Structure formats: C-alpha cells, structure tokens
Amino acid sequence: MFNNWQDCKHILCIRPDNMGDLLMTGPALRALKTSFGAKITVLTSSMAAGIARFMPEIDEVITCDLPWVKTESPVDISIFEQTVALLKQKQFDAAVIFTVYSQNPLPTVMLAYLAGIPRRLAYCRENPYLLLTEWVPDKEPYSIIKHQVRRDLDLVGSVGASTEDESLNLKIATDAKERVISKLQQKAINTDKPWLILHPGVSEVKRQYPKKNWVDTGHSLVNELGYQLLITGSTGEKQLTEDLQKAIGKGSYATGGLFTLEEFIALIEMAVAVVSVNTGTVHIAAASGTPCVVLYAQTNPQHTPWKVPNCVLPFSVPQNLQSSNEVIRFVHEQLYKDFVPIPDSEQVLKAVKTLLQTNLAYR
C-alpha cells in the first residue's frame, strides 16, 4: 500500500488513447471515485472524448492529443504549455496515468509533474525517480499478462481504491432508443424484428477482416438465422457499409454514418448480438451486456470483451503489418508464433449460434 489517498478529492486520470481504451478504464475510475469520494477529471484524446460523456464515473473531461499517442494530425507544441497551465489551475490532489503494457508512461507523467500535482501514480518498467510518487513496477508482459481492465483496477488498488462493480458501464439519455427506432423506420427497417450488428470498420489495416468473408458471413447469418443485419460504421465508413450491403443483399441494411455515438450505444443495447473486428464497438457491447463475436487480429491479447458472453475468433497479422514495438514483438513471439488462418463464415455462424443458445445470451 502506498501513501494514504483518502484525502484526494480531485483526481486527474490520464488515458490519452482510443475510445475502447478509455472505456476499459471505467471500473478503475469508479474505484477511485467511490473509495475516496473524489471528483474524477479525465484527460484523454479527441478520439476518446466522445465516449467519456456517457461514462458515469467521469465528472469532467479535458481533451488533448499528444504526439506519443497515435493521432490523425500533427500536434501543435504549444499544447504542452497550455495543458500544464490548465492542470495547474485545476489544483488536482493526485494524478493516475493509465497505460497498456507496451507504452512508456513517462512522457505523460511529465505533464502531471510540471503541473505540480503532488501524487502521481503509474506503472513503469524503468525507475522513474522523482517523476512518480507512487511507482508500480510493470511486470507485464514479461512475467504475466492481465486483461486491461484488471491491470487498471490493480493499479488503483495499490493506493487503496476498489469497487465491487467491476463491469463496464455507459449511461445514455432515456430517449436515445426512441431516436434509433425512428431512424431505422425511416430506412424501412422492421423495428419489431430483432437484429444482429455487423461492424467491419477498423482503425488499423492489420485488424481487417476481408470483404469476401464479411459477405459470406452475412449470407450465412441471414439464411441460417433469419435475423436482420445492420452493418454499422462511422460517417467515414459509410461507403464500406453500403458496399457490403449491396454484396450481401436481402436482409442486410447499411447504416454507416446514420447514428450519433449515443444512438450507436442504444442500437447495440437493443441488438441480439454484435459481430465485429477488435475495436471500440466490442467494448461498447460489453458495457451494454450485448453478446459479441470478435474477429480478433492477434495484436493485443489483453483487450478481449470484459464480463459479457463472447466468442473470440483469432487470426494472424501478416508479417509486413506487425508492430515494430519490441514489447509487442516479444508478446507475438511468445503467443502468436503459430499461424492462425482467418476464420470463415461457418466459424462465425457457429459462434453466433453458440452465444444465442446460452442462457446468458438471452436478453
């Protein structure tokens, strides 16, 4: 146990990554909030800031894109002085820096250090000296690999924070489902008939599931199970969803760009199941209690669906697309040396059937 954090009533939590990363941090944020009666401010990226609005553990959001995290555009160096000044102004009692095991926390820790935040907690592989006041030596992935949610819970547990509710959680407006129903009906989709979600879009090419496989899977699900298929995606993925719908045909509907994020959460809550690549959609499904089948490129073994009925269908990442990060390469050599082919439509169909046949999957 580290220094007493009971007096920490305003805590900065830094998670400057993607939407799914922040969502998996939710239980740890809940632990800090409930254990210490603290206000939780999250500093996160523009990619994740949207989901933060629906995480009940979060009281305030600061958006900041940092150059040591993947971003879509160059970062103005003035952001550092501005961010440090803002953090000083907020007068936080403590800062917690959340990372995956392949990240170095120290660039992020420096923001909290320069802002004069008196307590600073993070995992770190090397000795951080004065940068961290609470240092948890990072044993991952060389000695153990934990699920990301467990990793984050264990980090805050080191300062005495815990929660009995370790589930992911999202809270949306009461009229969100009504808005979804209205939009679906405008597209002539029968809202009295249950639907499955197919989510094909990826943030990285190495996670892609081939178009032909999506089409074959769509045909199998429609013909064998008779569910409507809603092919989802962002506005930028609208063409992808339309192309897949045309190829799958009857029983499928393209909805790329149709929903706000809040409505997308509601859509997933109402779905029978989700079939998706390993992306933030899977973690929204976990937070919604919706069973999911994940077409899982072998990149991050710690990011599987948390506490929800699921089936993970792994496949190998092509050698030319594998990470240059030496920590990730170590994991690949330990876990993923054997080639795993891309799962076919029959495997996906079987996985969906298995989920729907379990008592946990019926909602």
PDB file of all heavy atoms in Angstrom, residues 10 12-14 41-44 60 62-64 66 79-95 108-118:
ATOM      1  N   HIS A  10      -9.921  15.420  -5.609  1.00  0.00           N
ATOM      2  CA  HIS A  10      -9.960  15.823  -7.021  1.00  0.00           C
ATOM      3  C   HIS A  10      -8.806  15.126  -7.735  1.00  0.00           C
ATOM      4  O   HIS A  10      -7.646  15.504  -7.578  1.00  0.00           O
ATOM      5  CB  HIS A  10      -9.844  17.343  -7.170  1.00  0.00           C
ATOM      6  CG  HIS A  10     -10.166  17.821  -8.550  1.00  0.00           C
ATOM      7  ND1 HIS A  10      -9.996  19.129  -8.957  1.00  0.00           N
ATOM      8  CD2 HIS A  10     -10.660  17.155  -9.646  1.00  0.00           C
ATOM      9  CE1 HIS A  10     -10.366  19.245 -10.223  1.00  0.00           C
ATOM     10  NE2 HIS A  10     -10.760  18.076 -10.654  1.00  0.00           N
ATOM     11  N   LEU A  12      -6.973  13.576 -11.180  1.00  0.00           N
ATOM     12  CA  LEU A  12      -6.808  13.599 -12.633  1.00  0.00           C
ATOM     13  C   LEU A  12      -6.437  12.204 -13.104  1.00  0.00           C
ATOM     14  O   LEU A  12      -5.475  11.604 -12.613  1.00  0.00           O
ATOM     15  CB  LEU A  12      -5.695  14.582 -13.022  1.00  0.00           C
ATOM     16  CG  LEU A  12      -5.331  14.594 -14.511  1.00  0.00           C
ATOM     17  CD1 LEU A  12      -6.466  15.146 -15.363  1.00  0.00           C
ATOM     18  CD2 LEU A  12      -4.038  15.392 -14.739  1.00  0.00           C
ATOM     19  N   CYS A  13      -7.192  11.679 -14.051  1.00  0.00           N
ATOM     20  CA  CYS A  13      -6.895  10.382 -14.651  1.00  0.00           C
ATOM     21  C   CYS A  13      -6.545  10.597 -16.115  1.00  0.00           C
ATOM     22  O   CYS A  13      -7.354  11.165 -16.874  1.00  0.00           O
ATOM     23  CB  CYS A  13      -8.083   9.433 -14.513  1.00  0.00           C
ATOM     24  SG  CYS A  13      -8.485   9.039 -12.800  1.00  0.00           S
ATOM     25  N   ILE A  14      -5.364  10.171 -16.507  1.00  0.00           N
ATOM     26  CA  ILE A  14      -4.896  10.441 -17.869  1.00  0.00           C
ATOM     27  C   ILE A  14      -4.916   9.147 -18.677  1.00  0.00           C
ATOM     28  O   ILE A  14      -4.264   8.166 -18.316  1.00  0.00           O
ATOM     29  CB  ILE A  14      -3.472  11.047 -17.861  1.00  0.00           C
ATOM     30  CG1 ILE A  14      -3.410  12.254 -16.924  1.00  0.00           C
ATOM     31  CG2 ILE A  14      -3.071  11.452 -19.269  1.00  0.00           C
ATOM     32  CD1 ILE A  14      -2.054  12.931 -16.864  1.00  0.00           C
ATOM     33  N   THR A  41     -11.601  13.842 -12.999  1.00  0.00           N
ATOM     34  CA  THR A  41     -11.379  14.543 -14.264  1.00  0.00           C
ATOM     35  C   THR A  41     -10.498  13.658 -15.133  1.00  0.00           C
ATOM     36  O   THR A  41      -9.480  13.143 -14.666  1.00  0.00           O
ATOM     37  CB  THR A  41     -10.696  15.903 -14.043  1.00  0.00           C
ATOM     38  OG1 THR A  41     -11.577  16.744 -13.296  1.00  0.00           O
ATOM     39  CG2 THR A  41     -10.375  16.577 -15.365  1.00  0.00           C
ATOM     40  N   VAL A  42     -10.902  13.481 -16.377  1.00  0.00           N
ATOM     41  CA  VAL A  42     -10.136  12.644 -17.302  1.00  0.00           C
ATOM     42  C   VAL A  42      -9.510  13.509 -18.384  1.00  0.00           C
ATOM     43  O   VAL A  42     -10.183  14.355 -18.989  1.00  0.00           O
ATOM     44  CB  VAL A  42     -11.049  11.568 -17.944  1.00  0.00           C
ATOM     45  CG1 VAL A  42     -10.380  10.944 -19.162  1.00  0.00           C
ATOM     46  CG2 VAL A  42     -11.381  10.485 -16.931  1.00  0.00           C
ATOM     47  N   LEU A  43      -8.225  13.315 -18.600  1.00  0.00           N
ATOM     48  CA  LEU A  43      -7.541  13.906 -19.746  1.00  0.00           C
ATOM     49  C   LEU A  43      -7.404  12.808 -20.792  1.00  0.00           C
ATOM     50  O   LEU A  43      -6.772  11.779 -20.531  1.00  0.00           O
ATOM     51  CB  LEU A  43      -6.166  14.456 -19.343  1.00  0.00           C
ATOM     52  CG  LEU A  43      -5.418  15.265 -20.414  1.00  0.00           C
ATOM     53  CD1 LEU A  43      -4.427  16.236 -19.751  1.00  0.00           C
ATOM     54  CD2 LEU A  43      -4.660  14.395 -21.405  1.00  0.00           C
ATOM     55  N   THR A  44      -8.008  13.028 -21.938  1.00  0.00           N
ATOM     56  CA  THR A  44      -7.993  11.991 -22.970  1.00  0.00           C
ATOM     57  C   THR A  44      -7.902  12.613 -24.353  1.00  0.00           C
ATOM     58  O   THR A  44      -7.920  13.843 -24.505  1.00  0.00           O
ATOM     59  CB  THR A  44      -9.230  11.082 -22.845  1.00  0.00           C
ATOM     60  OG1 THR A  44      -9.043   9.918 -23.644  1.00  0.00           O
ATOM     61  CG2 THR A  44     -10.505  11.809 -23.278  1.00  0.00           C
ATOM     62  N   GLU A  60     -15.556  15.386 -15.359  1.00  0.00           N
ATOM     63  CA  GLU A  60     -15.063  16.451 -16.240  1.00  0.00           C
ATOM     64  C   GLU A  60     -14.068  15.839 -17.231  1.00  0.00           C
ATOM     65  O   GLU A  60     -13.361  14.887 -16.890  1.00  0.00           O
ATOM     66  CB  GLU A  60     -14.386  17.553 -15.412  1.00  0.00           C
ATOM     67  CG  GLU A  60     -13.925  18.748 -16.220  1.00  0.00           C
ATOM     68  CD  GLU A  60     -13.248  19.821 -15.372  1.00  0.00           C
ATOM     69  OE1 GLU A  60     -13.021  19.576 -14.162  1.00  0.00           O
ATOM     70  OE2 GLU A  60     -12.943  20.897 -15.910  1.00  0.00           O
ATOM     71  N   ILE A  62     -10.964  16.740 -20.099  1.00  0.00           N
ATOM     72  CA  ILE A  62     -10.009  17.622 -20.767  1.00  0.00           C
ATOM     73  C   ILE A  62      -9.524  16.869 -22.004  1.00  0.00           C
ATOM     74  O   ILE A  62      -9.076  15.723 -21.906  1.00  0.00           O
ATOM     75  CB  ILE A  62      -8.816  17.962 -19.858  1.00  0.00           C
ATOM     76  CG1 ILE A  62      -9.293  18.707 -18.611  1.00  0.00           C
ATOM     77  CG2 ILE A  62      -7.778  18.786 -20.617  1.00  0.00           C
ATOM     78  CD1 ILE A  62      -8.203  18.899 -17.558  1.00  0.00           C
ATOM     79  N   THR A  63      -9.626  17.501 -23.158  1.00  0.00           N
ATOM     80  CA  THR A  63      -9.219  16.854 -24.402  1.00  0.00           C
ATOM     81  C   THR A  63      -7.858  17.356 -24.828  1.00  0.00           C
ATOM     82  O   THR A  63      -7.630  18.571 -24.913  1.00  0.00           O
ATOM     83  CB  THR A  63     -10.249  17.122 -25.520  1.00  0.00           C
ATOM     84  OG1 THR A  63     -11.533  16.665 -25.087  1.00  0.00           O
ATOM     85  CG2 THR A  63      -9.864  16.395 -26.795  1.00  0.00           C
ATOM     86  N   CYS A  64      -6.966  16.417 -25.102  1.00  0.00           N
ATOM     87  CA  CYS A  64      -5.601  16.790 -25.507  1.00  0.00           C
ATOM     88  C   CYS A  64      -4.996  15.657 -26.320  1.00  0.00           C
ATOM     89  O   CYS A  64      -4.890  14.529 -25.834  1.00  0.00           O
ATOM     90  CB  CYS A  64      -4.751  17.074 -24.267  1.00  0.00           C
ATOM     91  SG  CYS A  64      -3.069  17.611 -24.651  1.00  0.00           S
ATOM     92  N   LEU A  66      -1.799  13.994 -27.856  1.00  0.00           N
ATOM     93  CA  LEU A  66      -0.372  14.003 -27.541  1.00  0.00           C
ATOM     94  C   LEU A  66       0.423  13.279 -28.621  1.00  0.00           C
ATOM     95  O   LEU A  66      -0.038  12.273 -29.162  1.00  0.00           O
ATOM     96  CB  LEU A  66      -0.145  13.324 -26.184  1.00  0.00           C
ATOM     97  CG  LEU A  66      -0.878  13.982 -25.013  1.00  0.00           C
ATOM     98  CD1 LEU A  66      -0.770  13.136 -23.758  1.00  0.00           C
ATOM     99  CD2 LEU A  66      -0.336  15.391 -24.764  1.00  0.00           C
ATOM    100  N   ILE A  79       0.568  23.101 -27.218  1.00  0.00           N
ATOM    101  CA  ILE A  79      -0.405  22.372 -26.402  1.00  0.00           C
ATOM    102  C   ILE A  79       0.180  21.975 -25.058  1.00  0.00           C
ATOM    103  O   ILE A  79      -0.528  21.877 -24.058  1.00  0.00           O
ATOM    104  CB  ILE A  79      -0.925  21.122 -27.155  1.00  0.00           C
ATOM    105  CG1 ILE A  79      -2.168  20.532 -26.471  1.00  0.00           C
ATOM    106  CG2 ILE A  79       0.153  20.052 -27.247  1.00  0.00           C
ATOM    107  CD1 ILE A  79      -3.373  21.411 -26.527  1.00  0.00           C
ATOM    108  N   PHE A  80       1.515  21.801 -24.993  1.00  0.00           N
ATOM    109  CA  PHE A  80       2.130  21.375 -23.740  1.00  0.00           C
ATOM    110  C   PHE A  80       2.035  22.470 -22.679  1.00  0.00           C
ATOM    111  O   PHE A  80       1.603  22.225 -21.547  1.00  0.00           O
ATOM    112  CB  PHE A  80       3.581  20.969 -23.971  1.00  0.00           C
ATOM    113  CG  PHE A  80       3.734  19.823 -24.928  1.00  0.00           C
ATOM    114  CD1 PHE A  80       4.371  19.986 -26.148  1.00  0.00           C
ATOM    115  CD2 PHE A  80       3.213  18.574 -24.619  1.00  0.00           C
ATOM    116  CE1 PHE A  80       4.490  18.931 -27.030  1.00  0.00           C
ATOM    117  CE2 PHE A  80       3.336  17.514 -25.495  1.00  0.00           C
ATOM    118  CZ  PHE A  80       3.970  17.696 -26.709  1.00  0.00           C
ATOM    119  N   GLU A  81       2.435  23.681 -23.032  1.00  0.00           N
ATOM    120  CA  GLU A  81       2.359  24.780 -22.075  1.00  0.00           C
ATOM    121  C   GLU A  81       0.913  25.048 -21.672  1.00  0.00           C
ATOM    122  O   GLU A  81       0.618  25.294 -20.491  1.00  0.00           O
ATOM    123  CB  GLU A  81       2.983  26.038 -22.678  1.00  0.00           C
ATOM    124  CG  GLU A  81       4.501  25.967 -22.822  1.00  0.00           C
ATOM    125  CD  GLU A  81       5.094  27.270 -23.332  1.00  0.00           C
ATOM    126  OE1 GLU A  81       4.315  28.236 -23.530  1.00  0.00           O
ATOM    127  OE2 GLU A  81       6.313  27.335 -23.533  1.00  0.00           O
ATOM    128  N   GLN A  82       0.016  25.000 -22.648  1.00  0.00           N
ATOM    129  CA  GLN A  82      -1.401  25.252 -22.361  1.00  0.00           C
ATOM    130  C   GLN A  82      -1.968  24.193 -21.419  1.00  0.00           C
ATOM    131  O   GLN A  82      -2.710  24.523 -20.478  1.00  0.00           O
ATOM    132  CB  GLN A  82      -2.191  25.270 -23.663  1.00  0.00           C
ATOM    133  CG  GLN A  82      -1.830  26.399 -24.610  1.00  0.00           C
ATOM    134  CD  GLN A  82      -2.490  26.239 -25.975  1.00  0.00           C
ATOM    135  OE1 GLN A  82      -3.423  25.458 -26.141  1.00  0.00           O
ATOM    136  NE2 GLN A  82      -1.986  26.974 -26.953  1.00  0.00           N
ATOM    137  N   THR A  83      -1.611  22.934 -21.683  1.00  0.00           N
ATOM    138  CA  THR A  83      -2.146  21.843 -20.861  1.00  0.00           C
ATOM    139  C   THR A  83      -1.594  21.905 -19.442  1.00  0.00           C
ATOM    140  O   THR A  83      -2.339  21.751 -18.465  1.00  0.00           O
ATOM    141  CB  THR A  83      -1.837  20.484 -21.505  1.00  0.00           C
ATOM    142  OG1 THR A  83      -2.425  20.434 -22.807  1.00  0.00           O
ATOM    143  CG2 THR A  83      -2.380  19.347 -20.663  1.00  0.00           C
ATOM    144  N   VAL A  84      -0.299  22.130 -19.316  1.00  0.00           N
ATOM    145  CA  VAL A  84       0.307  22.233 -17.988  1.00  0.00           C
ATOM    146  C   VAL A  84      -0.317  23.386 -17.205  1.00  0.00           C
ATOM    147  O   VAL A  84      -0.630  23.257 -16.014  1.00  0.00           O
ATOM    148  CB  VAL A  84       1.835  22.390 -18.092  1.00  0.00           C
ATOM    149  CG1 VAL A  84       2.431  22.777 -16.736  1.00  0.00           C
ATOM    150  CG2 VAL A  84       2.471  21.108 -18.602  1.00  0.00           C
ATOM    151  N   ALA A  85      -0.524  24.517 -17.873  1.00  0.00           N
ATOM    152  CA  ALA A  85      -1.134  25.671 -17.208  1.00  0.00           C
ATOM    153  C   ALA A  85      -2.551  25.340 -16.738  1.00  0.00           C
ATOM    154  O   ALA A  85      -2.956  25.710 -15.619  1.00  0.00           O
ATOM    155  CB  ALA A  85      -1.156  26.865 -18.159  1.00  0.00           C
ATOM    156  N   LEU A  86      -3.305  24.634 -17.566  1.00  0.00           N
ATOM    157  CA  LEU A  86      -4.673  24.258 -17.189  1.00  0.00           C
ATOM    158  C   LEU A  86      -4.671  23.301 -16.003  1.00  0.00           C
ATOM    159  O   LEU A  86      -5.470  23.446 -15.070  1.00  0.00           O
ATOM    160  CB  LEU A  86      -5.380  23.621 -18.386  1.00  0.00           C
ATOM    161  CG  LEU A  86      -6.810  23.106 -18.133  1.00  0.00           C
ATOM    162  CD1 LEU A  86      -7.722  24.250 -17.698  1.00  0.00           C
ATOM    163  CD2 LEU A  86      -7.351  22.420 -19.383  1.00  0.00           C
ATOM    164  N   LEU A  87      -3.754  22.344 -16.030  1.00  0.00           N
ATOM    165  CA  LEU A  87      -3.685  21.380 -14.931  1.00  0.00           C
ATOM    166  C   LEU A  87      -3.284  22.060 -13.621  1.00  0.00           C
ATOM    167  O   LEU A  87      -3.801  21.723 -12.551  1.00  0.00           O
ATOM    168  CB  LEU A  87      -2.694  20.254 -15.275  1.00  0.00           C
ATOM    169  CG  LEU A  87      -3.024  19.400 -16.508  1.00  0.00           C
ATOM    170  CD1 LEU A  87      -2.022  18.272 -16.660  1.00  0.00           C
ATOM    171  CD2 LEU A  87      -4.445  18.858 -16.442  1.00  0.00           C
ATOM    172  N   LYS A  88      -2.386  23.036 -13.697  1.00  0.00           N
ATOM    173  CA  LYS A  88      -2.025  23.799 -12.502  1.00  0.00           C
ATOM    174  C   LYS A  88      -3.246  24.519 -11.936  1.00  0.00           C
ATOM    175  O   LYS A  88      -3.487  24.540 -10.721  1.00  0.00           O
ATOM    176  CB  LYS A  88      -0.942  24.832 -12.839  1.00  0.00           C
ATOM    177  CG  LYS A  88       0.459  24.268 -12.955  1.00  0.00           C
ATOM    178  CD  LYS A  88       1.445  25.396 -13.220  1.00  0.00           C
ATOM    179  CE  LYS A  88       2.864  24.879 -13.312  1.00  0.00           C
ATOM    180  NZ  LYS A  88       3.838  25.973 -13.593  1.00  0.00           N
ATOM    181  N   GLN A  89      -4.007  25.116 -12.837  1.00  0.00           N
ATOM    182  CA  GLN A  89      -5.185  25.880 -12.441  1.00  0.00           C
ATOM    183  C   GLN A  89      -6.217  25.002 -11.720  1.00  0.00           C
ATOM    184  O   GLN A  89      -6.878  25.459 -10.786  1.00  0.00           O
ATOM    185  CB  GLN A  89      -5.809  26.500 -13.684  1.00  0.00           C
ATOM    186  CG  GLN A  89      -7.064  27.304 -13.453  1.00  0.00           C
ATOM    187  CD  GLN A  89      -7.678  27.767 -14.765  1.00  0.00           C
ATOM    188  OE1 GLN A  89      -7.001  27.949 -15.765  1.00  0.00           O
ATOM    189  NE2 GLN A  89      -9.001  27.953 -14.753  1.00  0.00           N
ATOM    190  N   LYS A  90      -6.315  23.731 -12.125  1.00  0.00           N
ATOM    191  CA  LYS A  90      -7.323  22.833 -11.558  1.00  0.00           C
ATOM    192  C   LYS A  90      -6.968  22.372 -10.143  1.00  0.00           C
ATOM    193  O   LYS A  90      -7.828  21.900  -9.407  1.00  0.00           O
ATOM    194  CB  LYS A  90      -7.488  21.597 -12.452  1.00  0.00           C
ATOM    195  CG  LYS A  90      -8.003  21.897 -13.853  1.00  0.00           C
ATOM    196  CD  LYS A  90      -9.477  22.226 -13.844  1.00  0.00           C
ATOM    197  CE  LYS A  90     -10.009  22.416 -15.243  1.00  0.00           C
ATOM    198  NZ  LYS A  90     -11.459  22.744 -15.256  1.00  0.00           N
ATOM    199  N   GLN A  91      -5.689  22.469  -9.777  1.00  0.00           N
ATOM    200  CA  GLN A  91      -5.225  22.111  -8.435  1.00  0.00           C
ATOM    201  C   GLN A  91      -5.652  20.684  -8.032  1.00  0.00           C
ATOM    202  O   GLN A  91      -6.332  20.463  -7.030  1.00  0.00           O
ATOM    203  CB  GLN A  91      -5.723  23.126  -7.402  1.00  0.00           C
ATOM    204  CG  GLN A  91      -5.159  24.519  -7.611  1.00  0.00           C
ATOM    205  CD  GLN A  91      -5.548  25.485  -6.512  1.00  0.00           C
ATOM    206  OE1 GLN A  91      -6.704  25.512  -6.085  1.00  0.00           O
ATOM    207  NE2 GLN A  91      -4.597  26.280  -6.042  1.00  0.00           N
ATOM    208  N   PHE A  92      -5.230  19.744  -8.800  1.00  0.00           N
ATOM    209  CA  PHE A  92      -5.546  18.347  -8.515  1.00  0.00           C
ATOM    210  C   PHE A  92      -4.777  17.859  -7.287  1.00  0.00           C
ATOM    211  O   PHE A  92      -3.649  18.283  -7.034  1.00  0.00           O
ATOM    212  CB  PHE A  92      -5.186  17.465  -9.715  1.00  0.00           C
ATOM    213  CG  PHE A  92      -6.035  17.722 -10.926  1.00  0.00           C
ATOM    214  CD1 PHE A  92      -5.538  18.430 -12.012  1.00  0.00           C
ATOM    215  CD2 PHE A  92      -7.341  17.252 -10.991  1.00  0.00           C
ATOM    216  CE1 PHE A  92      -6.306  18.674 -13.124  1.00  0.00           C
ATOM    217  CE2 PHE A  92      -8.132  17.493 -12.107  1.00  0.00           C
ATOM    218  CZ  PHE A  92      -7.618  18.199 -13.183  1.00  0.00           C
ATOM    219  N   ASP A  93      -5.391  16.935  -6.562  1.00  0.00           N
ATOM    220  CA  ASP A  93      -4.726  16.314  -5.425  1.00  0.00           C
ATOM    221  C   ASP A  93      -3.818  15.162  -5.858  1.00  0.00           C
ATOM    222  O   ASP A  93      -2.862  14.818  -5.161  1.00  0.00           O
ATOM    223  CB  ASP A  93      -5.761  15.762  -4.438  1.00  0.00           C
ATOM    224  CG  ASP A  93      -6.651  16.847  -3.880  1.00  0.00           C
ATOM    225  OD1 ASP A  93      -6.127  17.907  -3.489  1.00  0.00           O
ATOM    226  OD2 ASP A  93      -7.886  16.638  -3.837  1.00  0.00           O
ATOM    227  N   ALA A  94      -4.165  14.539  -6.982  1.00  0.00           N
ATOM    228  CA  ALA A  94      -3.407  13.369  -7.431  1.00  0.00           C
ATOM    229  C   ALA A  94      -3.647  13.151  -8.919  1.00  0.00           C
ATOM    230  O   ALA A  94      -4.642  13.632  -9.480  1.00  0.00           O
ATOM    231  CB  ALA A  94      -3.825  12.126  -6.638  1.00  0.00           C
ATOM    232  N   ALA A  95      -2.752  12.410  -9.533  1.00  0.00           N
ATOM    233  CA  ALA A  95      -2.895  12.036 -10.942  1.00  0.00           C
ATOM    234  C   ALA A  95      -2.592  10.552 -11.090  1.00  0.00           C
ATOM    235  O   ALA A  95      -1.654  10.032 -10.471  1.00  0.00           O
ATOM    236  CB  ALA A  95      -1.947  12.848 -11.820  1.00  0.00           C
ATOM    237  N   THR A 108       3.833  11.161 -20.437  1.00  0.00           N
ATOM    238  CA  THR A 108       2.554  11.618 -19.895  1.00  0.00           C
ATOM    239  C   THR A 108       2.709  12.059 -18.443  1.00  0.00           C
ATOM    240  O   THR A 108       2.123  13.069 -18.017  1.00  0.00           O
ATOM    241  CB  THR A 108       1.509  10.496 -20.000  1.00  0.00           C
ATOM    242  OG1 THR A 108       1.456  10.028 -21.346  1.00  0.00           O
ATOM    243  CG2 THR A 108       0.133  11.003 -19.594  1.00  0.00           C
ATOM    244  N   VAL A 109       3.486  11.313 -17.685  1.00  0.00           N
ATOM    245  CA  VAL A 109       3.731  11.672 -16.280  1.00  0.00           C
ATOM    246  C   VAL A 109       4.327  13.075 -16.179  1.00  0.00           C
ATOM    247  O   VAL A 109       4.018  13.835 -15.250  1.00  0.00           O
ATOM    248  CB  VAL A 109       4.667  10.652 -15.609  1.00  0.00           C
ATOM    249  CG1 VAL A 109       5.046  11.109 -14.207  1.00  0.00           C
ATOM    250  CG2 VAL A 109       4.015   9.282 -15.555  1.00  0.00           C
ATOM    251  N   MET A 110       5.167  13.425 -17.153  1.00  0.00           N
ATOM    252  CA  MET A 110       5.822  14.737 -17.113  1.00  0.00           C
ATOM    253  C   MET A 110       4.806  15.878 -17.078  1.00  0.00           C
ATOM    254  O   MET A 110       5.040  16.907 -16.430  1.00  0.00           O
ATOM    255  CB  MET A 110       6.753  14.892 -18.316  1.00  0.00           C
ATOM    256  CG  MET A 110       7.526  16.194 -18.350  1.00  0.00           C
ATOM    257  SD  MET A 110       8.665  16.407 -16.952  1.00  0.00           S
ATOM    258  CE  MET A 110      10.008  15.343 -17.477  1.00  0.00           C
ATOM    259  N   LEU A 111       3.671  15.711 -17.746  1.00  0.00           N
ATOM    260  CA  LEU A 111       2.646  16.753 -17.709  1.00  0.00           C
ATOM    261  C   LEU A 111       2.174  16.980 -16.274  1.00  0.00           C
ATOM    262  O   LEU A 111       2.040  18.114 -15.818  1.00  0.00           O
ATOM    263  CB  LEU A 111       1.457  16.357 -18.591  1.00  0.00           C
ATOM    264  CG  LEU A 111       1.700  16.235 -20.092  1.00  0.00           C
ATOM    265  CD1 LEU A 111       0.438  15.735 -20.787  1.00  0.00           C
ATOM    266  CD2 LEU A 111       2.126  17.577 -20.674  1.00  0.00           C
ATOM    267  N   ALA A 112       1.910  15.890 -15.560  1.00  0.00           N
ATOM    268  CA  ALA A 112       1.451  15.991 -14.178  1.00  0.00           C
ATOM    269  C   ALA A 112       2.553  16.546 -13.277  1.00  0.00           C
ATOM    270  O   ALA A 112       2.288  17.324 -12.352  1.00  0.00           O
ATOM    271  CB  ALA A 112       0.981  14.622 -13.684  1.00  0.00           C
ATOM    272  N   TYR A 113       3.790  16.145 -13.536  1.00  0.00           N
ATOM    273  CA  TYR A 113       4.924  16.605 -12.734  1.00  0.00           C
ATOM    274  C   TYR A 113       5.102  18.119 -12.885  1.00  0.00           C
ATOM    275  O   TYR A 113       5.244  18.849 -11.893  1.00  0.00           O
ATOM    276  CB  TYR A 113       6.180  15.874 -13.185  1.00  0.00           C
ATOM    277  CG  TYR A 113       7.441  16.297 -12.474  1.00  0.00           C
ATOM    278  CD1 TYR A 113       7.736  15.841 -11.190  1.00  0.00           C
ATOM    279  CD2 TYR A 113       8.346  17.147 -13.092  1.00  0.00           C
ATOM    280  CE1 TYR A 113       8.905  16.224 -10.541  1.00  0.00           C
ATOM    281  CE2 TYR A 113       9.511  17.540 -12.460  1.00  0.00           C
ATOM    282  CZ  TYR A 113       9.783  17.076 -11.180  1.00  0.00           C
ATOM    283  OH  TYR A 113      10.942  17.468 -10.547  1.00  0.00           O
ATOM    284  N   LEU A 114       5.086  18.592 -14.133  1.00  0.00           N
ATOM    285  CA  LEU A 114       5.267  20.024 -14.389  1.00  0.00           C
ATOM    286  C   LEU A 114       4.100  20.839 -13.849  1.00  0.00           C
ATOM    287  O   LEU A 114       4.258  22.015 -13.504  1.00  0.00           O
ATOM    288  CB  LEU A 114       5.429  20.279 -15.890  1.00  0.00           C
ATOM    289  CG  LEU A 114       6.709  19.732 -16.524  1.00  0.00           C
ATOM    290  CD1 LEU A 114       6.678  19.943 -18.033  1.00  0.00           C
ATOM    291  CD2 LEU A 114       7.943  20.391 -15.915  1.00  0.00           C
ATOM    292  N   ALA A 115       2.918  20.198 -13.760  1.00  0.00           N
ATOM    293  CA  ALA A 115       1.752  20.899 -13.218  1.00  0.00           C
ATOM    294  C   ALA A 115       1.751  20.926 -11.696  1.00  0.00           C
ATOM    295  O   ALA A 115       0.864  21.529 -11.080  1.00  0.00           O
ATOM    296  CB  ALA A 115       0.479  20.230 -13.725  1.00  0.00           C
ATOM    297  N   GLY A 116       2.725  20.263 -11.081  1.00  0.00           N
ATOM    298  CA  GLY A 116       2.842  20.295  -9.627  1.00  0.00           C
ATOM    299  C   GLY A 116       1.820  19.451  -8.902  1.00  0.00           C
ATOM    300  O   GLY A 116       1.528  19.696  -7.724  1.00  0.00           O
ATOM    301  N   ILE A 117       1.280  18.450  -9.566  1.00  0.00           N
ATOM    302  CA  ILE A 117       0.315  17.570  -8.911  1.00  0.00           C
ATOM    303  C   ILE A 117       1.076  16.707  -7.899  1.00  0.00           C
ATOM    304  O   ILE A 117       2.013  15.993  -8.273  1.00  0.00           O
ATOM    305  CB  ILE A 117      -0.433  16.710  -9.947  1.00  0.00           C
ATOM    306  CG1 ILE A 117      -1.175  17.621 -10.934  1.00  0.00           C
ATOM    307  CG2 ILE A 117      -1.404  15.747  -9.258  1.00  0.00           C
ATOM    308  CD1 ILE A 117      -1.840  16.899 -12.078  1.00  0.00           C
ATOM    309  N   PRO A 118       0.716  16.750  -6.625  1.00  0.00           N
ATOM    310  CA  PRO A 118       1.577  16.187  -5.572  1.00  0.00           C
ATOM    311  C   PRO A 118       1.688  14.668  -5.549  1.00  0.00           C
ATOM    312  O   PRO A 118       2.718  14.140  -5.124  1.00  0.00           O
ATOM    313  CB  PRO A 118       0.957  16.706  -4.279  1.00  0.00           C
ATOM    314  CG  PRO A 118      -0.471  17.010  -4.632  1.00  0.00           C
ATOM    315  CD  PRO A 118      -0.447  17.459  -6.057  1.00  0.00           C
TER     316      PRO A 118
END
